[in-house]
mmCIF file of all heavy atoms in Angstrom:
data_model
loop_
_atom_site.group_PDB
_atom_site.id
_atom_site.type_symbol
_atom_site.label_atom_id
_atom_site.label_comp_id
_atom_site.label_asym_id
_atom_site.label_seq_id
_atom_site.Cartn_x
_atom_site.Cartn_y
_atom_site.Cartn_z
ATOM 1 N N PRO A 279 18.115 -4.308 -34.831
ATOM 2 C CA PRO A 279 19.558 -4.315 -35.102
ATOM 3 C C PRO A 279 19.856 -3.550 -36.382
ATOM 4 O O PRO A 279 19.140 -3.683 -37.377
ATOM 5 C CB PRO A 279 19.875 -5.803 -35.296
ATOM 6 C CG PRO A 279 18.716 -6.535 -34.734
ATOM 7 C CD PRO A 279 17.534 -5.643 -34.801
ATOM 8 N N CYS A 280 20.921 -2.736 -36.355
ATOM 9 C CA CYS A 280 21.226 -1.875 -37.487
ATOM 10 C C CYS A 280 21.450 -2.687 -38.754
ATOM 11 O O CYS A 280 21.102 -2.255 -39.846
ATOM 12 C CB CYS A 280 22.463 -1.038 -37.183
ATOM 13 S SG CYS A 280 22.216 -0.017 -35.742
ATOM 14 N N ASP A 281 22.034 -3.891 -38.598
ATOM 15 C CA ASP A 281 22.341 -4.704 -39.769
ATOM 16 C C ASP A 281 21.099 -5.082 -40.561
ATOM 17 O O ASP A 281 21.173 -5.321 -41.755
ATOM 18 C CB ASP A 281 23.075 -5.980 -39.346
ATOM 19 C CG ASP A 281 24.553 -5.725 -39.211
ATOM 20 O OD1 ASP A 281 24.985 -4.622 -39.622
ATOM 21 O OD2 ASP A 281 25.272 -6.597 -38.698
ATOM 22 N N SER A 282 19.963 -5.155 -39.866
ATOM 23 C CA SER A 282 18.767 -5.620 -40.556
ATOM 24 C C SER A 282 18.347 -4.662 -41.662
ATOM 25 O O SER A 282 17.587 -5.017 -42.544
ATOM 26 C CB SER A 282 17.629 -5.820 -39.567
ATOM 27 O OG SER A 282 17.249 -4.568 -39.049
ATOM 28 N N PHE A 283 18.879 -3.423 -41.636
ATOM 29 C CA PHE A 283 18.521 -2.471 -42.685
ATOM 30 C C PHE A 283 19.417 -2.618 -43.913
ATOM 31 O O PHE A 283 19.181 -2.036 -44.943
ATOM 32 C CB PHE A 283 18.610 -1.032 -42.151
ATOM 33 C CG PHE A 283 17.649 -0.778 -41.046
ATOM 34 C CD1 PHE A 283 18.054 -0.834 -39.722
ATOM 35 C CD2 PHE A 283 16.318 -0.514 -41.329
ATOM 36 C CE1 PHE A 283 17.167 -0.624 -38.696
ATOM 37 C CE2 PHE A 283 15.425 -0.303 -40.304
ATOM 38 C CZ PHE A 283 15.848 -0.359 -38.982
ATOM 39 N N ASN A 284 20.509 -3.393 -43.762
ATOM 40 C CA ASN A 284 21.495 -3.480 -44.848
ATOM 41 C C ASN A 284 21.322 -4.724 -45.696
ATOM 42 O O ASN A 284 22.147 -5.006 -46.546
ATOM 43 C CB ASN A 284 22.910 -3.468 -44.265
ATOM 44 C CG ASN A 284 23.222 -2.133 -43.624
ATOM 45 O OD1 ASN A 284 22.614 -1.132 -44.008
ATOM 46 N ND2 ASN A 284 24.139 -2.119 -42.681
ATOM 47 N N VAL A 285 20.279 -5.507 -45.466
ATOM 48 C CA VAL A 285 20.128 -6.784 -46.149
ATOM 49 C C VAL A 285 20.180 -6.617 -47.665
ATOM 50 O O VAL A 285 20.892 -7.325 -48.363
ATOM 51 C CB VAL A 285 18.815 -7.457 -45.733
ATOM 52 C CG1 VAL A 285 18.543 -8.673 -46.583
ATOM 53 C CG2 VAL A 285 18.903 -7.850 -44.273
ATOM 54 N N ARG A 286 19.462 -5.650 -48.190
ATOM 55 C CA ARG A 286 19.396 -5.451 -49.632
ATOM 56 C C ARG A 286 20.782 -5.240 -50.228
ATOM 57 O O ARG A 286 21.133 -5.816 -51.247
ATOM 58 C CB ARG A 286 18.534 -4.230 -49.950
ATOM 59 C CG ARG A 286 17.088 -4.584 -50.065
ATOM 60 C CD ARG A 286 16.244 -3.356 -50.092
ATOM 61 N NE ARG A 286 14.940 -3.734 -50.619
ATOM 62 C CZ ARG A 286 14.406 -3.211 -51.696
ATOM 63 N NH1 ARG A 286 15.067 -2.281 -52.364
ATOM 64 N NH2 ARG A 286 13.236 -3.596 -52.130
ATOM 65 N N LYS A 287 21.564 -4.400 -49.514
ATOM 66 C CA LYS A 287 22.895 -4.065 -50.001
ATOM 67 C C LYS A 287 23.740 -5.332 -50.098
ATOM 68 O O LYS A 287 24.429 -5.571 -51.076
ATOM 69 C CB LYS A 287 23.527 -3.070 -49.038
ATOM 70 C CG LYS A 287 24.643 -2.250 -49.631
ATOM 71 C CD LYS A 287 25.086 -1.215 -48.601
ATOM 72 C CE LYS A 287 26.467 -0.710 -48.930
ATOM 73 N NZ LYS A 287 27.031 -0.015 -47.790
ATOM 74 N N LYS A 288 23.648 -6.164 -49.063
ATOM 75 C CA LYS A 288 24.436 -7.387 -49.027
ATOM 76 C C LYS A 288 24.062 -8.272 -50.216
ATOM 77 O O LYS A 288 24.905 -8.810 -50.909
ATOM 78 C CB LYS A 288 24.177 -8.119 -47.710
ATOM 79 C CG LYS A 288 25.470 -8.572 -47.033
ATOM 80 C CD LYS A 288 25.197 -9.577 -45.938
ATOM 81 C CE LYS A 288 24.694 -8.952 -44.662
ATOM 82 N NZ LYS A 288 24.260 -9.915 -43.665
ATOM 83 N N GLU A 289 22.776 -8.394 -50.451
ATOM 84 C CA GLU A 289 22.315 -9.227 -51.561
ATOM 85 C C GLU A 289 22.897 -8.731 -52.888
ATOM 86 O O GLU A 289 23.309 -9.511 -53.723
ATOM 87 C CB GLU A 289 20.778 -9.204 -51.634
ATOM 88 C CG GLU A 289 20.150 -10.182 -50.675
ATOM 89 C CD GLU A 289 18.650 -10.001 -50.587
ATOM 90 O OE1 GLU A 289 18.112 -9.086 -51.262
ATOM 91 O OE2 GLU A 289 18.027 -10.758 -49.833
ATOM 92 N N ARG A 290 22.957 -7.426 -53.046
ATOM 93 C CA ARG A 290 23.455 -6.844 -54.281
ATOM 94 C C ARG A 290 24.927 -7.177 -54.465
ATOM 95 O O ARG A 290 25.377 -7.530 -55.542
ATOM 96 C CB ARG A 290 23.252 -5.324 -54.270
ATOM 97 C CG ARG A 290 22.435 -4.827 -55.459
ATOM 98 C CD ARG A 290 22.339 -3.326 -55.455
ATOM 99 N NE ARG A 290 21.501 -2.827 -54.378
ATOM 100 C CZ ARG A 290 21.812 -1.794 -53.622
ATOM 101 N NH1 ARG A 290 22.960 -1.145 -53.801
ATOM 102 N NH2 ARG A 290 21.015 -1.392 -52.686
#
Side-chain angles (χ1 to χ4, degrees):
Chain A
C280 300
D281 275 351
S282 67
F283 297 98
N284 293 335
V285 171
R286 273 168 162 239
K287 202 175 160 195
K288 227 194 282 172
E289 277 171 359
R290 237 184 290 136

